[in-house]
Amino acid sequence: MDVDLLREHLADLGQPGYRLGQVWKWAASGAPGFAAMTNLPLALRDALAERVPFSTLTVEREARARDGTVKVLFSTADGRPIEAVLMRYEPGAARGGGAGSGREAGRRADGRRAGRRSLCLSSQSGCPLTCSFCATGRMKFGRNLTVWEIVDQALHFRRLSEIDHCVFMGMGEPMMNLDAVLDACRRLPDLGITNRRTAISTVGWIPGIRRLVQEPMPIRLALSLHAADEALRSELMPVNDRHPLPEVIAACEAFYGAKRRKVFVEYVMLAGVNDSHVQAVALAALLDRRIFKVNLIPYNPTDSEFSGSSPRAIEAFRFELERRGLDATVRLTRGRDIDAACGQLAASGTPGDRDHGA
Ligand code: SAH
């Protein structure tokens, strides 16, 4: 919902100032449309329904996995594809998403604790960075999303379910669209997602990390590392040439220094590329165990040249990190039966999709 547009139309309709808050409160608590906003005069509900699109996004496809994961391919008003995912965890199975607090939040109507319900949101349509293993990186870059296009991804899922965690790990590089991402973070608490349960994941875009250090909202930082060695990292992530690893690590350490919150390191496990014993030792040597926590990500196969490390190789790598004192977990794979990895739905070109230029 474009709240700026809504504000204009409410003023145009001569409505009192408190209407905006009333409408937003309904939307943020999952109302399916203006018609459901029963404390608004009927004529106003009708007028708004005519003038203001309830969402800035259109659902193009929705895929539901057996594990409860829901992935949606949206399009913006100008036809750009974006994806977002809802992951629901059973109570006690809350580990594995990597960027949440790990604590279960919320209670069901019967008073028992519900599992974590975590969103993965996109910040851009496509991505200007070209990480070689990533499906989004191989799509054509579209544009930055607006704050309302980000919030509308979350509102869509809020209409399906309560939600309590959020990671910016969908399409795009959030640090390259940080104003809109932070504006969205100011709205998310109204939907049930506190800033403490929100994480921004970055390739290591230093200006963005530095801004997050200054930012009063207690948002978590996650770093996509994928290689401890400069040459390999530049090969996998060309952005490493622009923001070299030692400077990225120093920026993350400054984040910890200011916030006292651990930085999550994402490390996608690529068979024969970055998963050897020597590389685990190098990773453990690079990362200060008081500051970083590693989340090993099983690779979701795309049509790239890479294949994922075996579960055995991942476990051996994790064991080596832990043996050297580094906190390391393996991300639970969610929604694999629905192509839930970054960029996969938009890039799959399934009939019914628009031409996404992938
Ligand atoms: N641009 C940001 C956020 C989006 S990507 C960043 O890079 O952090 C979110 C995470 O998914 C990144 O760690 C990315 O490297 C990882 N990823 C991309 N493609 C993947 C795939 N096919 N399988 C597993 N993880 C993938």
Side-chain angles (χ1 to χ4, degrees):
M1 175 178 293
D2 182 335
V3 174
D4 298 320
L5 185 69
L6 175 68
R7 186 184 292 109
E8 278 172 33
H9 280 283
L10 285 171
D12 200 37
L13 290 161
Q15 290 295 314
Y18 60 81
R19 291 287 185 219
L20 186 72
Q22 282 181 316
V23 173
W24 170 248
K25 197 170 171 197
W26 277 105
S29 53
F34 292 110
M37 303 181 176
T38 49
N39 57 351
L40 263 56
L42 199 55
L44 176 60
R45 286 183 248 164
D46 289 345
L48 289 177
E50 265 187 26
R51 288 164 170 244
V52 184
F54 198 64
S55 176
T56 58
L57 304 176
T58 307
V59 175
E60 296 287 334
R61 280 177 65 199
E62 186 175 85
R64 287 170 184 259
R66 282 184 291 276
D67 61 18
T69 301
V70 184
K71 174 155 189 173
V72 175
L73 173 65
F74 299 98
S75 61
T76 60
D78 59 344
R80 312 280 185 180
I82 47 174
E83 302 172 350
V85 186
L86 165 68
M87 290 155 288
R88 288 179 274 206
Y89 297 87
E90 293 300 322
R95 311 298 310 174
S101 69
R103 250 175 280 142
E104 279 99 3
R107 279 177 190 278
R108 304 190 312 200
D110 60 8
R112 289 171 55 199
R113 282 190 175 283
R116 182 153 67 88
R117 284 143 307 186
S118 191
L119 295 186
C120 178
L121 302 181
S122 291
S123 54
Q124 300 178 314
S125 175
C127 185
L129 305 175
T130 52
C131 301
S132 54
F133 52 85
C134 175
T136 307
R138 283 198 306 282
M139 287 173 64
K140 213 164 60 186
F141 175 56
R143 61 166 171 79
N144 278 340
L145 300 181
T146 67
V147 51
W148 307 122
E149 288 165 342
I150 297 170
V151 171
D152 270 328
Q153 297 168 53
L155 283 176
H156 174 81
F157 292 107
R158 180 67 190 85
R159 294 192 278 276
L160 299 179
S161 163
E162 294 199 18
I163 46 183
D164 47 45
H165 286 74
C166 158
V167 291
F168 283 89
M169 291 185 190
M171 286 176 151
E173 170 52 41
M175 294 300 192
M176 296 177 83
N177 186 20
L178 196 53
D179 287 328
V181 166
L182 292 177
D183 280 347
C185 290
R186 288 186 187 95
R187 292 279 172 171
L188 290 175
D190 294 338
L191 282 67
I193 301 169
T194 62
N195 295 146
R196 292 195 163 273
R197 295 195 189 125
T198 299
I200 294 179
S201 174
T202 178
V203 293
W205 194 260
I206 290 177
I209 298 173
R210 291 194 179 138
R211 267 192 69 192
L212 206 58
V213 173
Q214 303 299 326
E215 172 54 50
M217 282 187 281
I219 298 167
R220 294 206 91 119
L221 175 64
L223 171 69
S224 294
L225 187 62
H226 308 323
D229 143 65
E230 288 271 21
L232 177 59
R233 190 164 193 267
S234 286
E235 222 173 277
L236 298 174
M237 309 174 71
V239 69
N240 188 67
D241 291 335
R242 177 153 176 183
H243 294 300
L245 200 47
E247 291 171 32
V248 171
I249 296 293
C252 292
E253 289 172 351
F255 176 89
Y256 179 82
K259 307 274 183 179
R260 297 285 142 187
R261 299 195 80 201
K262 278 200 176 184
V263 176
F264 290 103
V265 165
E266 291 153 273
Y267 194 100
V268 64
M269 297 294 290
L270 303 169
V273 175
N274 66 355
D275 64 348
S276 72
H277 180 261
V278 173
Q279 286 160 323
V281 174
L283 183 61
L286 176 71
L287 300 176
D288 184 329
R289 68 177 87 158
R290 290 162 302 178
I291 298 178
F292 296 96
K293 176 183 180 328
V294 178
N295 199 218
L296 301 174
I297 311 176
Y299 185 55
N300 245 305
T302 65
D303 56 4
S304 75
E305 67 203 91
F306 299 103
S307 46
S309 308
S310 68
R312 244 179 104 171
I314 297 176
E315 184 47 34
F317 199 92
R318 191 197 66 79
F319 181 80
E320 193 54 41
L321 297 179
E322 288 257 317
R323 205 165 72 85
R324 289 163 189 271
L326 207 60
D327 200 354
T329 52
V330 179
R331 177 170 301 176
L332 291 173
T333 302
R334 308 284 302 185
R336 192 163 262 203
D337 48 328
I338 55 165
D339 275 356
C342 182
Q344 287 190 323
L345 208 58
S348 66
T350 312
D353 276 6
R354 301 212 181 142
D355 176 14
H356 298 311

